[in-house]
Amino acid sequence: MAGFRSPSSGLRTPRPAAFGADPTGERMARIRRSPHFRDGVFQNPGGTARTRPSGSAREFAKIYFDRESRLRRAPGGPIPVHATTLADLARQPATGLRLTWMGHSSVLAEIDGRRVLFDPVWGERCSPFPFAGPKRLHPVPVPLAALGPVDVVVISHDHYDHLDMPTIKALAGTDTLFAVPLGVGAHLEHWGVPADRLRELDWHESTRVAGLTLTATPARHFCGRGLRNTQHTLWASWVVAGEEHRVYHSGDTGYFDGFRDIGAAHGPFDATMIQLGAYSRFWPDIHMTPAEGLRAHLDLQGGAPAGVLLPIHWGTFNLAPHAWAEPGEWTKDAAGEAGQAVAFPRPGEPFEPAGEVPVEAWWRAVSEPVAHAWRRPRSAEDVAGTGVGDLDLAGER
């Protein structure tokens, strides 16, 4: 552990290694030169986003700690994890593109003969401490050591549910490269990743790794791991393009007009991995609802249904007041109305976007019925089949 000086006492107190390290030296000089760094902090596209919960703290606490609400935020039984085997992952994808959702925002993308691992979190908790913080609701589908060689690890930002110190330390002992947003490299170097294995990018910058082009693209979010949030590390979404295929990973983001620009510059995409869980009306600027996630996907594809949407940032950790199964249920409903293909793999279940896409609502077996938010008329048969009825669209937020 390093130490930091308490401004009130002048004493040095232990600083958990998981807090990482602040950018310094040439890295900080480069941050200051970024066109997206102003007034001492990184800026969101379109201006400052609210990064703290809005509204009444009392109202939020009442909802969050309500007993019935707490019960809905967790599955009612074991989540059905796909038993991924080394043989599954060793077999080359027939179509040249295969995605394996490992839970939350962690995805292994096998694209044109290369392997990209997005936001790998193999830890038991998304927290700086092993004894506190949100705990996994399902085990990791495959041990990290059994994953096989990875060409590049891509990190979207430095929050604990996307940048996990034990996972990074384990990967630091391999030959993989790391593509990270500007400033995040300070954390990785602090945890043992050599500087020559880092590709640290500002928005709109690209790097080539093993025949793939990786581009950091804008997102609407924020950063921070320690007791004070200096906003000196960038957050990003990512485009990965091979010779034949291209994919997009949103990281964490609120909805903003920039998705159209990203799609125009880098799309269309064979698949998008879109954050649409852990949303709340208390923080509308920094996370997307299922409806917004679908809209973002359509923006990225030029405005019409295309490719496959893989929902991420849900199912693994309890991070918001909404029901555990709500992101899956509402996304399935909204995508059905829009005619958009959506993949619903169990954690660890590989699929090829150009092949057979998993569509079963597997969460229904381990969750209470979830009210739907959409205005469309529902038949008696539809309602009877799901156990849920209509809810006004405003209920989504």
Side-chain angles (χ1 to χ4, degrees):
M1 285 199 197
F4 69 92
R5 187 174 298 278
S6 167
S8 58
S9 67
L11 300 176
R12 294 181 69 85
T13 55
R15 174 187 172 105
F19 279 8
D22 294 330
T24 58
E26 175 51 34
R27 178 176 279 118
M28 192 63 213
R30 187 181 168 203
I31 287 170
R32 290 193 179 101
R33 294 193 298 269
S34 168
H36 310 110
F37 190 80
R38 190 169 64 254
D39 300 328
V41 296
F42 278 112
Q43 303 287 329
N44 269 301
T48 303
R50 288 172 290 174
T51 60
R52 294 182 180 275
S54 60
S56 163
R58 182 177 180 180
E59 182 186 4
F60 174 76
K62 181 179 179 181
I63 294 171
Y64 196 82
F65 293 108
D66 174 75
R67 183 177 182 278
E68 186 177 341
S69 173
R70 289 203 315 271
L71 291 174
R72 288 198 304 268
R73 293 201 304 270
I79 294 173
V81 175
H82 180 81
T84 310
T85 67
L86 190 58
D88 289 334
L89 300 176
R91 186 171 57 251
Q92 291 297 313
T95 63
L97 176 64
R98 181 168 61 207
L99 302 179
T100 306
W101 180 51
M102 299 295 178
H104 202 58
S105 295
S106 303
V107 182
L108 176 66
E110 298 167 273
I111 175 170
D112 297 340
R114 302 299 182 182
R115 307 176 94 226
V116 182
L117 185 58
F118 291 97
D119 283 357
V121 174
W122 259 249
E124 189 65 17
R125 296 182 185 271
C126 49
S127 165
F129 308 109
F131 54 84
K135 190 176 182 180
R136 279 187 171 275
L137 299 174
H138 65 79
V140 291
V142 59
L144 192 62
L147 202 59
V150 172
D151 293 287
V152 58
V153 173
V154 176
I155 303 296
S156 64
H157 63 296
D158 69 359
H159 286 159
Y160 289 96
D161 56 325
H162 297 260
L163 180 61
D164 178 55
M165 182 187 71
T167 304
I168 296 300
K169 282 189 166 186
L171 290 166
T174 70
D175 294 330
T176 188
L177 299 178
F178 294 82
V180 302
L182 198 55
V184 174
H187 298 311
L188 273 65
E189 283 193 55
H190 186 64
W191 299 330
V193 176
D196 62 1
R197 283 169 49 200
L198 289 171
R199 305 293 184 267
E200 202 163 341
L201 306 183
D202 202 348
W203 291 342
H204 309 299
E205 291 182 341
S206 298
T207 187
R208 292 277 293 176
V209 175
L212 301 174
T213 299
L214 292 84
T215 304
T217 46
R220 187 171 175 80
H221 201 56
F222 68 112
C223 63
R225 295 178 71 85
L227 297 177
R228 56 191 179 90
N229 185 355
T230 62
Q231 294 290 84
H232 286 174
T233 63
L234 189 59
W235 47 96
S237 56
W238 287 89
V239 172
V240 177
E243 292 184 3
E244 301 292 335
H245 298 89
R246 57 186 58 220
V247 298
Y248 171 86
H249 188 285
S250 72
D252 275 2
T253 181
Y255 179 81
F256 69 114
D257 292 342
F259 291 114
R260 289 192 288 270
D261 298 329
I262 295 169
H266 302 284
F269 300 97
D270 298 280
T272 68
M273 296 156 269
I274 302 288
Q275 172 267 309
L276 43 68
Y279 48 83
S280 171
R281 62 185 174 88
F282 292 98
W283 50 83
D285 293 348
I286 55 171
H287 281 170
M288 291 190 290
T289 66
E292 289 169 330
L294 174 64
R295 183 178 174 190
H297 172 89
L298 296 175
D299 285 354
L300 290 160
Q301 302 291 42
V308 173
L309 164 60
L310 172 62
I312 60 171
H313 205 263
W314 77 287
T316 303
F317 297 107
N318 180 350
L319 302 175
H322 64 67
W324 169 75
E326 192 174 277
E329 198 68 55
W330 285 7
T331 302
K332 191 173 186 67
D333 209 2
E337 284 195 340
Q340 172 59 52
V342 181
F344 292 108
R346 293 165 175 79
E349 181 179 2
F351 74 95
E352 300 189 31
E356 185 176 351
V357 175
V359 296
E360 180 188 351
W362 51 265
W363 55 87
R364 291 177 182 168
V366 291
S367 73
E368 294 295 319
V370 175
H372 291 238
W374 321 113
R375 293 185 183 276
R376 65 181 172 88
R378 300 179 62 80
S379 68
E381 181 181 358
D382 194 9
V383 173
T386 60
V388 297
D390 284 323
L391 178 69
D392 188 271
L393 186 59
E396 182 190 351
R397 299 292 289 238

